[in-house]
Amino acid sequence: MLLSMASIRQTLRSLWNTPGFSVMAIVTMALGIAVTTALFSLMYAALLQPLAFPDADRVVAINTSWPTKGKTIPRMTGGDYLDLRSALKSFEAIALYGGGENGVRTGDHTRFAQTFEIGPEFFRVLGVTPAAGRLPGKQDANRAAVLTVSFARATFGDAGRAIGQDVIVNNKPYDVIAVLPDQLSFPEKAEVWITGPVDPDNQNRSSFNYHSVGRVRPGISLRQAEAELSTVAARLAIDHPDSNEGKTFRAIRLQEQLAAPVRSTMLFLFGAAGLLLLISCANAANLMLARASARTRETAIRVSLGSGVGRIVRILLAEGVALGGGAAILGLALAYALTRAMLPLLPANLPHAAEAVHIHGAVLLFAVAVSCMTAVICSLVPAASLQKVNLADVLKQSARGFVSGGMRSRNLIVVAQIALCCILCVGAALLSRTLVALINTPLGFRSDRILVMYANAPAFQLPEYMRAIRTFETALGDIRNIAGVESAATVMGLPTGQYGSNGSYLVEGVHIQAGQDPLKMSWPRDLPWALFTLSSPQYFRTGGIRLLAGRDFTDRDQYDAPFAAIVSESLARQSFGSADPIGRRIYCGLDSPKPMTIVGVVSDVRQDSPASSLQPEIYMPFQQHPYFANELQIVIRTAGDPNRLVPDVRNSMHRLAPFMATRFTTFSQMVEDSMAGPRFRAALALAFAILAMSLALTGVYAMMSYYVGERRAEMGVRIALGATPGSIVSLVSRRALWLALVGLFIGIASAAALSRFAESMLYGLRSLDFAAYFMGAVTVLLVVAFAGAIPAWRASRVDPTVALRHE
C-alpha cells in the first residue's frame, strides 16, 4: 500500500486542522470541475450521446451536394429519390420525410404538434420497435399515424388507448396504429408521424422539398455507400443534364448531421471551460504550495529523522487526492445545479438538451477523471518544489532555500493564471461585442408592440383552402375591431418565424418569353434565387417595412384576379439593375405557373435573424396562393402591451373557427429567440471570464501577500534607512506589474492564435478585433493592479522595529 491507514487518518486530521486552507482549496477546484463537467454534460448530450436507434451508426442522412460550388443542402428532390431508391444496393432502405409544426385535431380539440409526413420505409430505416401497435408499411400509405408516448398520454390518457383512434391533420383523418417511446422521436421533438404516399407527390428535380434518411447494409462502409451514391449521381447527370449536372449525393451519419449546427459552439465553450479548470488548478496549486512552504521546517525534520522524500511526496499526493475527492463531490453537485440553470438559456437547436441534466455514466467518469487530474496536478507542484529544498539551509536558516524555489514556482503559476484569464477575457469581449453588434443591426422591420398568432386552418383540397382564406379575411376584420389594435395582417414567412419558402424565379424577357409555358420548357441553369413570402394588405404597414415604389396589396388581389407580386430592393437590384421593375412580370416555383406582375418594391429585411444577410424576396398575396395560405401568422400591431390582447384575439378566433390550432408569441420575443445562440455563447463566456478574473485576483493577492510577508524584514530595513511609503508601494507594485505584463503578452499571443476557432461565431467584427483585445487586456490589468494594491499598501506601513525584532 502507498499509505497505511494511520497515514490516511493523519492526512485527514491535518486537513481538518486547517479548515481555511481545506475549504478554499476544495471550493477552488470544485468551481473548475463543476463548469467543465456541466459543459461536458451538454456536449455529450448534443454531440456524443449515441442515438437510441439500433445500430445507429448505420443510419445516415442523404444530402444533395454541388462539389464545384462548394454547396451542400440537407434535402433532395422527389425525382432523385425515386432513382436512388431503385438503384442503390448499399442500403437496406431509404425514406423521405418532411414537416414541422402543424395543427392536429383529436376529438373536439385542436393543438399544434410537431408533425412529419413520412415515407413507408421511414421506420424501417430507423429500426425502431413501437411501445404499442405495429409500424406502418406500404399498405398504410396516406392513412396511418404514429404518436409518441407523451403525445398519446396527453391526448388519450394512456398510450395503449391511442391505438385505433383517429387524428385529423389538414382535414384528413389518420388511423393511429402505433405508439413510439419518446427517446425514439426523430426528428427531435417530433410528436406525430403521418404516412404519405409510396411515391412522393412532387417529383420535380428542381424542388428540394424532402429530407432523406437511409440505413446502410451490414458490412458496407460509409465510404462504399458514398461511392455508390456518386455513381448513381453521375448517371443521373447524363440522363437529366438540365437539373442534375454537377449534382451528387452525400451520406453523413445521422448523429453527425444533427450535431453539426452546434458543434463549433459546444467545442468552443468546452475549451473555455477547460481554461477555467486550468486556472482553478493553478489557484489550488498555489494554495498547496503556500501550505508546503509554511511546513518546510517540519518537512526537513521529518526527512532528517529518516523519512524519505518519496514518503513526503506520497503524503502530499494523499492530501491532494483527499481535497480532490471533496472537490469532486461538491463539483458534481454544482455541475448539476449549473446545468439546470443553463437550460432556459440553451438554443432551441441544441439536440437532446434536456438529457444534459442527467449524470450519464460517461459524464460521471469524466468528472472523476477531471477530479483526479486536478488533484494530481495540484499535488505535484509543491512536491516538485520539495526536490529543490536544501535541508541543511532549512534547518539553519528557517526556510530560505524553499522560499526561493517556492516563489519561482508561484510566479510561474500566477503568470499562467493571468495568461489564461486574458484568453477568456478576450473571448468574452469578442462574443459580447458580437452580441451588441447583432442587437444594433438594422433589421428592416419593427418588432415592437406586435402580437403574433400562429394559426393553422385545416385544409386538404382546393375548396377547403379557399375556405381557409375566407376565414382569415374575416378574422382580420374582427381583430382590427378589437380595442387596442392599430393594424393587423396575415403572413407566411414572417422574419425569424417558422414558416417560409424559397426557390428559383424567372424574369419575363430574360429567362422566359411572353406566352411561354414554364411547365413545358427547360429551365435555364443558375437561375436567380429568392425567398417566397405570402402576405395580406397592411402587412408592410404593420411590420414597419417601407414601401419604396408602387402600391401595397389590396382586397382586389384575389385568386381569380391577375397575379401580383411585390419585390424587395435586393431582388429589384439583382434582376433589373437601375431599371424600374414596376409592371415587369416574373414566375416562381411556389405553386402556380401563372406570371405575376410586379406592383411594388419594398425595403430589404433580415429574414432568419439579425446575423442573416439581406436576401432577395418575392411577396405574393396570400389569396392567390391558397395551397400555402392555410398555415399563417397573424401579426397585430397594438397600442400597448401586446400580451394583454391575447385573450380577446383567442376568443375572437375560437368563435370564428373552433377547430383552428393557435399559438401566441410576440414579434420581439421571436427576434430575441433568433439570437439565442449568440446570447448563450456570450453569457457563458462572460461568466467564465468573471470566474477566471475572481480566481486570478485571489491568486495574485495570495502571491503578493506571501511575497510581502517573506520580505517583511527587508521592507523594515528600507523604511528604517529612509525609504518613503510611495517607494515601497512602487517596489511591490512593479513586481505585480511585471508578472501581469508577462502573462498578458502570453495571453494575448495565445488568444490571437486561437481566435480563428471563433471566427464562425463572430458578426460585425474580425477575430483580431483591436477593441476586444484592448478590453480584455485592460480588464486583466486592472484586476492584477487591484489584487496587488492591498499587499503593497500593507508593505508600506511595516513598522521597522517590529519587523526586525520578528526576524
Side-chain angles (χ1 to χ4, degrees):
M1 292 179 63
L2 291 176
L3 287 173
S4 65
M5 289 302 298
S7 298
I8 294 174
R9 284 195 297 269
Q10 181 182 352
T11 298
L12 295 177
R13 188 182 306 114
S14 174
L15 295 176
W16 180 263
N17 291 334
T18 53
F21 159 77
S22 300
V23 170
M24 191 67 181
I26 287 174
V27 170
T28 298
M29 288 191 285
L31 283 174
I33 292 169
V35 172
T36 312
T37 302
L39 262 295
F40 179 77
S41 184
L42 284 176
M43 189 174 76
Y44 178 80
L47 306 183
L48 305 175
Q49 184 175 346
L51 298 177
F53 313 131
D55 298 320
D57 59 325
R58 294 198 285 123
V59 181
V60 299
I62 303 177
N63 300 334
T64 306
S65 180
W66 292 264
T68 58
K69 298 180 180 179
K71 177 182 176 182
T72 299
I73 60 173
R75 296 182 299 278
M76 71 165 49
T77 69
D80 290 337
Y81 163 76
L82 291 176
D83 286 316
L84 291 177
R85 187 181 67 183
S86 62
L88 293 178
K89 307 301 181 185
S90 302
F91 291 81
E92 289 183 4
I94 63 172
L96 298 181
Y97 70 95
E101 192 176 59
N102 209 328
V104 178
R105 178 181 169 187
T106 53
D108 59 354
H109 177 69
T110 304
R111 73 176 181 90
F112 276 115
Q114 291 294 322
T115 307
F116 292 86
E117 184 176 276
I118 58 173
E121 299 286 283
F122 181 78
F123 290 115
R124 182 185 169 198
V125 169
L126 301 184
V128 300
T129 301
R134 63 173 182 84
L135 293 176
K138 292 183 179 180
Q139 72 279 9
D140 299 302
N142 284 318
R143 69 177 189 84
V146 177
L147 313 179
T148 62
V149 168
S150 294
F151 186 88
R153 286 175 179 167
T155 306
F156 301 106
D158 180 76
R161 290 175 55 190
I163 305 299
Q165 302 286 341
D166 281 346
V167 296
I168 299 174
V169 180
N170 288 330
N171 267 3
K172 184 177 178 181
Y174 293 86
D175 182 34
V176 178
I177 64 170
V179 176
L180 279 185
D182 291 342
Q183 65 267 28
L184 298 178
S185 174
F186 171 77
E188 191 182 16
K189 299 180 182 177
E191 298 172 279
V192 178
W193 297 266
I194 55 176
T195 56
V198 174
D199 296 333
D201 291 328
N202 187 343
Q203 298 179 16
N204 188 309
R205 295 181 186 273
S206 61
S207 298
F208 296 87
N209 295 330
Y210 304 100
H211 295 272
S212 179
V213 287
R215 176 173 284 269
V216 179
R217 292 186 183 278
I220 301 294
S221 68
L222 192 62
R223 179 175 296 181
Q224 290 173 308
E226 282 211 298
E228 186 182 23
L229 284 170
S230 298
T231 301
V232 176
R235 178 172 60 77
L236 294 180
I238 296 173
D239 295 341
H240 309 280
D242 293 337
S243 59
N244 284 62
E245 187 173 350
K247 180 199 296 184
T248 189
F249 305 99
R250 290 200 60 202
I252 300 176
R253 284 194 171 86
L254 186 58
Q255 181 173 7
E256 182 180 341
Q257 176 137 318
L258 294 177
V262 298
R263 180 177 288 106
S264 58
T265 292
M266 295 311 303
L267 292 177
F268 176 83
L269 292 176
F270 184 68
L275 293 179
L276 188 63
L277 176 64
L278 290 177
I279 295 174
S280 297
C281 289
N283 239 19
N286 232 340
L287 288 170
M288 296 185 72
L289 193 58
R291 174 179 166 84
S293 179
R295 298 166 63 190
T296 303
R297 189 172 181 82
E298 171 197 337
T299 302
I301 293 173
R302 284 176 177 270
V303 173
S304 66
L305 292 176
S307 181
V309 174
R311 177 175 173 78
I312 304 300
V313 171
R314 287 198 298 273
I315 292 174
L316 291 174
L317 283 172
E319 290 185 355
V321 170
L323 293 172
I329 296 171
L330 179 59
L332 275 173
L334 290 175
Y336 179 78
L338 182 60
T339 306
R340 291 187 67 88
M342 284 192 295
L343 282 181
L345 300 175
L346 297 180
N349 65 338
L350 188 68
H352 313 295
E355 293 291 318
V357 298
H358 303 298
I359 305 299
H360 298 278
V363 176
L364 186 62
L365 185 64
F366 173 83
V368 171
V370 168
S371 303
C372 293
M373 182 196 72
T374 303
V376 170
I377 290 175
C378 294
S379 303
L380 287 180
V381 173
S385 296
L386 184 64
Q387 305 297 322
K388 302 176 183 179
V389 174
N390 187 319
L391 297 180
D393 287 346
V394 169
L395 294 173
K396 292 176 185 177
Q397 305 172 15
S398 181
R400 291 294 178 204
F402 188 78
V403 167
S404 164
M407 183 57 70
R408 283 194 296 270
S409 298
R410 300 189 77 180
N411 287 344
L412 290 174
I413 290 173
V414 168
V415 167
Q417 277 185 298
I418 293 171
L420 294 170
C421 185
C422 182
I423 295 172
L424 286 176
C425 287
V426 169
L430 284 170
L431 295 178
S432 298
R433 280 176 51 78
T434 288
L435 184 60
V436 171
L438 288 173
I439 293 172
N440 294 328
T441 297
L443 303 174
F445 54 84
R446 289 177 53 202
S447 61
D448 60 302
R449 295 187 294 112
I450 291 183
L451 179 67
V452 178
M453 178 175 68
Y454 281 82
N456 176 260
F460 182 62
Q461 296 177 335
L462 181 59
E464 295 170 340
Y465 284 103
M466 298 305 297
R467 191 181 307 122
I469 287 174
R470 291 192 293 272
T471 299
F472 281 118
E473 289 178 321
T474 305
L476 285 178
D478 293 346
I479 291 170
R480 288 166 184 161
N481 291 326
I482 296 175
V485 173
E486 294 182 350
S487 63
T490 62
V491 59
M492 183 212 76
L494 184 66
T496 71
Q498 295 183 1
Y499 307 152
S501 185
N502 60 70
S504 302
Y505 66 92
L506 304 167
V507 176
E508 191 173 83
V510 178
H511 308 108
I512 187 172
Q513 302 306 312
Q516 204 172 0
D517 187 347
L519 297 180
K520 297 180 179 178
M521 60 173 282
S522 297
W523 283 41
R525 299 174 191 167
D526 299 323
L527 283 171
W529 176 93
L531 301 170
F532 301 152
T533 300
L534 306 183
S535 67
S536 71
Q538 297 191 25
Y539 168 64
F540 302 117
R541 171 192 165 193
T542 303
I545 301 171
R546 292 180 296 122
L547 184 64
L548 303 178
R551 66 170 177 87
D552 193 355
F553 298 132
T554 70
D555 292 333
R556 295 189 299 273
D557 294 313
Q558 296 292 324
Y559 184 65
D560 54 358
F563 274 26
I566 295 174
V567 300
S568 67
E569 56 183 319
S570 286
L571 188 141
R573 186 167 52 250
Q574 172 179 277
S575 292
F576 302 101
S578 58
D580 184 4
I582 304 296
R584 298 290 296 271
R585 301 210 299 181
I586 61 174
Y587 301 75
C588 78
L590 181 64
D591 65 338
S592 173
K594 292 183 180 180
M596 301 177 292
T597 301
I598 298 175
V599 299
V601 179
V602 295
S603 58
D604 289 324
V605 301
R606 298 185 187 275
Q607 187 68 26
D608 296 326
S609 73
S612 61
S613 59
L614 299 173
Q615 300 175 14
E617 193 160 1
I618 302 174
Y619 297 88
M620 295 163 270
F622 83 105
Q623 298 96 326
Q624 295 183 343
H625 301 272
Y627 291 104
F628 287 85
N630 71 312
E631 195 167 22
L632 301 171
Q633 294 133 325
I634 295 181
V635 289
I636 306 162
R637 179 162 292 280
T638 65
D641 180 7
N643 288 305
R644 296 180 62 182
L645 293 182
V646 170
D648 292 336
V649 175
R650 179 186 286 116
N651 292 336
S652 175
M653 205 70 192
H654 184 72
R655 285 193 301 269
L656 183 64
F659 296 120
M660 183 180 292
T662 58
R663 178 172 63 82
F664 291 87
T665 184
T666 65
F667 204 177
S668 298
Q669 186 60 53
M670 291 169 61
V671 175
E672 288 287 312
D673 291 344
S674 74
M675 294 190 291
R679 186 181 298 104
F680 175 66
R681 290 192 292 264
L684 282 193
L686 193 58
F688 292 168
I690 291 172
L691 278 175
M693 286 188 290
S694 302
L695 292 172
L697 188 149
T698 58
V700 173
Y701 174 79
M703 188 278 298
M704 294 306 299
S705 296
Y706 182 77
Y707 171 75
V708 169
E710 293 301 325
R711 301 186 64 179
R712 185 180 179 86
E714 177 190 337
M715 301 301 174
V717 171
R718 286 178 180 270
I719 293 174
L721 294 176
T724 64
S727 65
I728 297 297
V729 170
S730 175
L731 174 67
V732 176
S733 298
R734 279 201 304 270
R735 185 175 189 85
L737 181 62
W738 180 83
L739 293 174
L741 291 176
V742 174
L744 283 176
F745 176 79
I746 297 172
I748 289 175
S750 301
L754 295 171
S755 62
R756 61 188 182 88
F757 295 108
E759 284 181 349
S760 63
M761 305 173 207
L762 303 181
Y763 173 80
L765 64 155
R766 298 174 303 161
S767 60
L768 296 178
D769 180 68
F770 173 78
Y773 282 78
F774 180 77
M775 290 167 57
V778 169
T779 301
V780 173
L781 199 59
L782 289 175
V783 168
V784 173
F786 179 75
I790 297 176
W793 177 79
R794 286 168 51 193
S796 70
R797 298 182 64 84
V798 169
D799 186 336
T801 58
V802 175
L804 294 173
R805 188 182 305 119
H806 175 74
E807 182 65 15

